[in-house]
Amino acid sequence: MATRDLGTALALADFRWLWIGSLASSFAMNMQIVARGWLVYALTSSALDLAWVTLSFMIPLVAFALLGGVMADRVPKRGIIMLAQGLNSVATILLGVIILAGQVDFWDFIWFGFFNGTVLALSMPARQAMVPELVPERLIFTAMGLTTTSWNLSRILGPAMAGFLIAWIAGGDTTSHFGVGIVYFMIATLYLASSLAMWRVAPTRPSARAEDQHPLRDIADGMRYIWDNPPVLGLILLSIVPFLFGMPINTLLPAYNEDILSGGADDLGLLMSAMGIGAIVGSLMMATMGELRGKGRWLIGTSIAWAGATALVGTADSQLWAVAAVALVGWLSSWNMSLNRGLLQTSIKPAMRGRVLSIDMMSHGLMPLGVIPISLIAEQVNVAVALQVAGGVFALAVVALLGTSRAVRSLA
């Protein structure tokens, strides 16, 4: 697909406003990660407490994603997204007030994390399912690439902005909560901007009729639909495996930088930037390759290549080699995920889109099942070996699926 299709997609006013809203909410979430993490650790000095706060956000993603899928198929999607971002804005303002008043404690972040996770679980399927309703089918892969690009941009720039603002507002006083409180108000503004951007998007009708059947029946219908459609099942399986064995590198990168490369904070920043830049290149490349032939084979190929790049990071013995290998991981992972999302969007019938996307999103909650054993290897042996094992198991899992799953073979 020609590069001009990037402009063609963004020229569609409804998609452009959806994209702007997604960019604002992505920046808000990534800025929040830094602000939350800094203050929780300042309050507790406990890495375990950081994990509990993260878990409070992840649990509702798994628990409520399927309900979010049912809502996306039954209720106008624009209203769901607007309400969700508005609620996030109000809750963030409330927490900002508590922080500025000096009354914040650990449990405030637990309830706030649970609330954020619940809102995301109930609204994200609607946001994802809305894309095919706003762009023609030939631009689906361009739209998916642009959406992934916005997330990668916010992943790189959002944390840096939050860290800079906290340090600047506090005047270098690392014990001050004032900077964090002000940043929370900025985050609330971004959530509000995301909600207002959706106001500019033309409303769309629900894909499925709001019949008088129980939501659990709707969920069961969605699972049955996936099982009865091998390409859809294959895409979800090829989404789960990377989350199990391709994502541990994100968790282990700080330890890899310190233990293997003997690097400092600036070196870690370089590694993270390299991964982010590679990811942006991968998502933009996908946005210009909608006419690529044999997309299913490319998906399988990039999965194996992503596995190889992960193992390659574990063999790096210099900063330069590590930066190149990490950038390769960012490029391949972003390309692979954009390709998977685009194929999934074009393979689902509209009436099932919200439920299928919610099941796919819920499956990503399995990530800790891969991160924990790989992290144990890193602790018992070293990080380099852990990454090599992760890459090897990743590749073997894809090959095993090819050999045993008719659903995955249907994509080749």
Side-chain angles (χ1 to χ4, degrees), residues 321-365:
W321 183 241
V323 166
V326 165
L328 185 62
V329 169
W331 171 53
L332 289 166
S333 61
S334 181
W335 184 14
N336 177 276
M337 288 188 290
S338 296
L339 186 55
N340 192 302
R341 296 284 77 72
L343 285 168
L344 195 58
Q345 291 278 20
T346 56
S347 300
I348 311 168
K349 71 178 185 179
M352 287 288 179
R353 188 169 281 131
R355 277 165 284 178
V356 172
L357 292 174
S358 71
I359 292 169
D360 180 57
M361 185 175 79
M362 186 186 70
S363 70
H364 296 167

Side-chain angles (χ1 to χ4, degrees), residues 227-249:
W227 184 258
D228 292 339
N229 289 268
V232 175
L233 176 59
L235 289 168
I236 290 177
L237 290 174
L238 286 177
S239 175
I240 292 173
V241 169
F243 266 82
L244 288 174
F245 305 112
M247 293 301 178
I249 189 173

Side-chain angles (χ1 to χ4, degrees), residues 81-388:
I81 300 167
M82 288 182 63
L83 178 62
Q85 299 309 323
L87 289 172
N88 271 336
S89 180
V90 171
T92 306
I93 289 172
L94 178 59
L95 186 57
V97 169
I98 294 172
I99 292 170
L100 289 178
Q103 301 298 315
V104 70
D105 63 21
F106 169 73
W107 289 103
D108 291 317
F109 291 98
I110 293 293
W111 70 253
F112 184 72
F114 189 86
F115 180 83
N116 270 166
T118 301
V119 168
L120 183 63
L122 295 177
S123 64
M124 186 57 73
R127 186 181 289 278
Q128 293 179 335
M130 199 173 191
V131 173
E133 298 176 359
L134 303 180
V135 300
E137 186 172 343
R138 75 176 188 87
L139 292 176
I140 288 292
F141 289 91
T142 301
M144 290 296 101
L146 286 168
T147 300
T148 306
T149 299
S150 70
W151 171 255
N152 288 324
L153 278 171
S154 66
R155 189 177 67 174
I156 296 172
L157 300 178
M161 286 175 56
F164 169 78
L165 287 169
I166 291 170
W168 178 64
I169 294 170
D173 181 4
T174 57
T175 65
S176 171
H177 294 179
F178 179 74
V180 178
I182 296 299
V183 167
Y184 262 83
F185 281 100
M186 295 179 179
I187 292 169
T189 301
L190 286 169
Y191 280 130
L192 179 60
S194 178
S195 181
L196 293 177
M198 290 305 302
W199 184 262
R200 303 295 301 272
V201 179
T204 58
R205 293 186 177 184
S207 301
R209 292 181 300 170
E211 299 173 349
D212 294 329
Q213 69 176 21
H214 197 278
L216 291 177
R217 180 74 176 272
D218 275 346
I219 293 170
D221 289 345
M223 291 182 171
R224 191 178 304 111
Y225 174 80
I226 291 172
W227 184 258
D228 292 339
N229 289 268
V232 175
L233 176 59
L235 289 168
I236 290 177
L237 290 174
L238 286 177
S239 175
I240 292 173
V241 169
F243 266 82
L244 288 174
F245 305 112
M247 293 301 178
I249 189 173
N250 297 307
T251 301
L252 295 176
L253 207 55
Y256 170 79
N257 173 69
E258 182 174 337
D259 297 349
I260 304 302
L261 300 179
S262 301
D266 54 340
D267 298 305
L268 177 59
L270 181 61
L271 288 173
M272 295 180 71
S273 297
M275 180 175 285
I277 291 169
I280 290 174
V281 171
S283 55
L284 283 175
M285 188 176 73
M286 188 62 250
T288 61
M289 296 179 68
E291 299 296 336
L292 182 70
R293 295 179 180 274
K295 294 184 179 69
R297 291 190 294 275
W298 278 103
L299 179 66
I300 294 168
T302 54
S303 295
I304 295 173
W306 179 359
T310 300
L312 188 64
V313 174
T315 68
D317 56 3
S318 70
Q319 182 75 21
L320 181 62
W321 183 241
V323 166
V326 165
L328 185 62
V329 169
W331 171 53
L332 289 166
S333 61
S334 181
W335 184 14
N336 177 276
M337 288 188 290
S338 296
L339 186 55
N340 192 302
R341 296 284 77 72
L343 285 168
L344 195 58
Q345 291 278 20
T346 56
S347 300
I348 311 168
K349 71 178 185 179
M352 287 288 179
R353 188 169 281 131
R355 277 165 284 178
V356 172
L357 292 174
S358 71
I359 292 169
D360 180 57
M361 185 175 79
M362 186 186 70
S363 70
H364 296 167
L366 299 174
M367 183 171 63
L369 298 180
V371 171
I372 291 172
I374 297 301
S375 297
L376 286 173
I377 294 174
E379 187 171 313
Q380 297 299 319
V381 187
N382 63 53
V383 183
V385 171
L387 291 176
Q388 292 171 35

Side-chain angles (χ1 to χ4, degrees), residues 8-88:
T8 303
L10 290 173
L12 299 170
D14 289 333
F15 174 72
R16 182 173 66 251
W17 284 111
L18 176 68
W19 185 81
I20 289 171
S22 297
L23 182 63
S25 64
S26 295
F27 262 90
M29 283 190 289
N30 281 283
M31 290 177 69
Q32 190 174 301
I33 289 171
V34 171
R36 178 186 67 202
W38 184 91
L39 191 50
V40 168
Y41 199 74
L43 288 169
T44 68
S45 299
S46 169
L48 183 60
D49 285 340
L50 285 174
W52 281 117
V53 171
T54 300
L55 193 62
S56 73
F57 178 81
M58 293 296 296
I59 288 174
L61 284 181
V62 178
F64 301 124
L66 295 178
L67 180 58
V70 173
M71 290 171 55
D73 287 335
R74 286 192 175 198
V75 181
K77 299 176 182 64
R78 187 183 74 157
I80 295 174
I81 300 167
M82 288 182 63
L83 178 62
Q85 299 309 323
L87 289 172
N88 271 336

